[in-house]
Amino acid sequence: MLLFTPGPTPVPESVRLAMAEPTLHHRTPEFEAIFKETRELLFELMATDEVVMLASTGTGAMEAAVTNLCHHTLLNVNAGKFGERFGKIAQAHGLNNVEIKHEWDTPATADEVVAALEANPDIDAIAIQISESAGGLRHPVEGIAKAVKEVRPDVMVIADGITAVGVERIDVTHIDALIAGSQKALMLPPGLAIVGLSNAAVEKIGEGKGYYLNLASEIKKQRQNTTAYTAATTLVIGLGAILKQIKEGDGLGKLYCDTARRAKATRFALEALGLHSYPKSPARSMTTIDDVNAKEIRDLLKTDFGVNVAGGQDHLKGKIFRINQMGLIEPYEMVWVVNAVELALAKLGRRDYDGTASRVFNEEYFKSMLKKEDA
Ligand SMILES: *Cc1c(COP(=O)(O)O)cnc(C)c1O
C-alpha cells in the first residue's frame, strides 16, 4: 500500500536504518556531538536566529510558542482544525483570544489581520498556519507577518510550518516563531517538534513560561548541545540523518523545486479529469480535491489500487480527499496515484478511462525535459 496521507509520511530506509542503532545515553559526548550536528543542520533548514527541538508532537510546539510568546491576547486565524487549535491552546492557558474565522478553502489577508490588531490593542501575538492541512490551504503568512510588523512591531508572529518547513523555502524575516514537526515534511516518525525563533522572540521569552514547555530552559541547554529533559535521542538521530541525506544529495533547493513541480503536475492531472482543487490558494504540501464522490474515490484507491490518501474532517468529512506531496517522493509513484484516481472515476462511471491523468502529469512534471531545444 502506498502511503500518501499528508502526515504521517513514509520514512526513508536510510533514516530507518540510522535509527536502528542501539539507544545512546543522552548525557554523553557521543550524543552531544550528534545533537550539535543536527542542530547546525536545523539552522540551515529553519534560517531562524535560534532553534530548539522538543520531545513532543507538533501541538506541543504550538503550545510552547503560544505560552512563551503571548502574555495577553492571541489573535489566531481559524481556517481549519489546526488554526482552531491555536485558539483552544490560548483559552486553555487563560489567555484572551480573538479569532479570524474563514471557510477552510479561504486564505487570510493582511488587511483583516491589521484591522483586528487595530480593533484590539491588547493583542500581543498572532498565530497562523503557513499551510493549513485541514483543507490544503496556503495562507500568505510572509506578507501578513510583514504587515503586522509595520503597524505593531511588538506583536509576535507565530507561524505553524508543520506542513511547510521542508516543503518550500519560508522567508522568516518577519516571523518570530516557526514551528516544524517530525512526521510530516521531515519524513520521520512522530514525536519530535522544532521551534525556530527570532532574536526578538528570545528576548520576549525571557525566563520563559511553564515547566516542560518552558522555552527559556531549552534555549539555555540546547545552546550547550544538550536538552533540559531526556532528549528524543532516536528521533534526533533520524532528523540528523534525513537533513544530512538531503544536504549531501541534491540539497534543499532541489527538494523544494521537485515538490513544487510534483504538486503542480498532480493538480493539473486531476483538474484534467474534471476534478476540482478545493483551496482557493493551494499549499504545496498536499493536493486537496473536493468532490461528491470523495469517499467512494478514497475507498476505491485503497481497496482496488493500493493507495492510501487522507479524507476530510468535521464538515468536510466525506467531501474532500488529500494527497500528500511532502518528502522525497518519486514521480513514478505520483503517476500511479493520479492514474489510480482516473481508474476510480472510470469504475464509478464518471468518465471513460483514456490515460489523461498520467499523460498530463508527465507532460507537466517533465515539461523542461520534453521541451524541444531552441535552435
Ligand atoms: C499535523 C499538524 C499539526 C499537529 O501536529 P501533531 O504532531 O499531530 O501534534 C499542527 N499543524 C499542522 C498544520 C499540521 O499539519
Side-chain angles (χ1 to χ4, degrees):
M1 179 84 73
L2 292 175
L3 179 62
F4 266 89
T5 56
T9 58
V11 182
E13 186 179 16
S14 57
V15 177
R16 295 200 307 272
L17 289 173
M19 294 190 303
E21 295 283 321
T23 304
L24 288 173
H25 192 283
H26 55 292
R27 310 280 181 211
T28 55
E30 293 97 306
F31 182 69
E32 284 171 15
I34 293 169
F35 191 91
K36 180 170 188 284
E37 189 182 16
T38 304
R39 184 170 148 83
E40 282 162 5
L41 289 161
L42 264 185
F43 273 103
E44 292 175 27
L45 175 74
M46 307 289 284
T48 47
D49 298 320
E50 189 50 80
V51 62
V52 290
M53 292 174 247
L54 301 172
S56 78
T57 70
T59 306
M62 292 167 74
E63 182 157 349
V66 169
T67 55
N68 285 266
L69 290 173
C70 180
H71 299 161
H72 301 284
T73 303
L74 182 76
L75 172 63
N76 67 299
V77 172
N78 172 358
K81 272 230 122 24
F82 298 107
E84 177 188 53
R85 188 169 299 175
F86 271 130
K88 288 185 173 174
I89 290 170
Q91 289 161 21
H93 287 278
L95 296 162
N96 296 324
N97 106 285
V98 174
E99 185 169 272
I100 292 175
K101 198 167 179 185
H102 281 298
E103 187 42 63
W104 293 10
D105 62 350
T106 307
T109 66
D111 285 350
E112 65 184 341
V113 168
V114 168
L117 289 179
E118 280 163 359
N120 303 277
D122 278 354
I123 290 170
D124 62 334
I126 156 170
I128 183 169
Q129 276 58 40
I130 298 174
S131 154
E132 169 53 83
S133 314
L137 175 69
R138 177 67 159 87
H139 285 297
V141 172
E142 299 90 333
I144 290 174
K146 183 163 184 280
V148 167
K149 296 293 181 181
E150 271 163 16
V151 293
R152 289 278 308 280
D154 58 306
V155 169
M156 290 283 118
V157 177
I158 300 168
D160 170 356
I162 292 174
T163 52
V165 173
V167 169
E168 56 176 311
R169 198 176 302 287
I170 311 296
D171 176 2
V172 293
T173 313
H174 304 288
I175 291 174
D176 296 293
L178 177 64
I179 298 165
S182 55
Q183 82 275 25
K184 310 268 175 89
L186 299 177
M187 300 167 255
L188 296 165
L192 189 72
I194 297 142
V195 189
L197 297 161
S198 67
N199 286 330
V202 173
E203 197 171 316
K204 180 160 182 184
I205 288 165
E207 300 296 307
K209 281 269 158 60
Y211 189 79
Y212 183 65
L213 295 176
N214 183 316
L215 290 178
S217 332
E218 290 299 343
I219 292 167
K220 183 166 166 241
K221 289 290 183 182
Q222 298 195 20
R223 282 179 176 167
Q224 300 159 35
N225 299 312
T226 186
T227 47
Y229 314 105
T230 307
T233 46
T234 306
L235 289 167
V236 173
I237 289 168
L239 178 60
I242 187 68
L243 293 178
K244 209 151 80 178
Q245 181 182 326
I246 294 167
K247 186 176 178 169
E248 287 169 2
D250 298 316
L252 283 168
K254 175 77 163 37
L255 173 65
Y256 298 152
C257 175
D258 286 352
T259 305
R261 282 166 74 204
R262 199 174 54 246
K264 195 170 169 198
T266 304
R267 183 159 54 82
F268 280 22
L270 298 182
E271 285 174 347
L273 299 176
L275 293 174
H276 178 254
S277 167
Y278 172 70
K280 289 179 185 139
S281 162
R284 293 175 186 172
S285 52
M286 66 196 76
T287 308
T288 306
I289 298 293
D290 58 314
D291 193 273
V292 284
N293 296 126
K295 188 188 179 305
E296 290 84 352
I297 293 169
R298 195 173 154 230
D299 288 347
L300 281 169
L301 288 177
K302 201 177 277 176
T303 54
D304 291 26
F305 305 112
V307 179
N308 185 5
V309 302
Q313 293 166 288
D314 293 0
H315 65 298
L316 292 184
K317 196 168 180 350
K319 301 213 164 84
I320 60 167
F321 63 92
R322 295 172 296 153
I323 301 173
N324 175 51
Q325 298 292 351
M326 295 176 280
L328 295 160
I329 300 172
E330 296 295 347
Y332 54 77
E333 287 194 340
M334 194 56 83
V335 175
W336 173 251
V337 175
V338 297
N339 184 58
V341 173
E342 183 172 349
L343 288 167
L345 290 178
K347 268 204 119 152
L348 291 168
R350 291 263 300 262
R351 70 189 296 289
D352 289 334
Y353 179 82
D354 60 5
T356 292
S358 33
R359 178 178 55 76
V360 171
F361 180 93
N362 283 305
E363 281 171 0
E364 179 59 34
Y365 189 85
F366 294 106
K367 201 158 58 179
S368 57
M369 191 189 88
L370 294 171
K371 205 160 59 188
K372 292 207 177 64
E373 294 282 318
D374 288 335

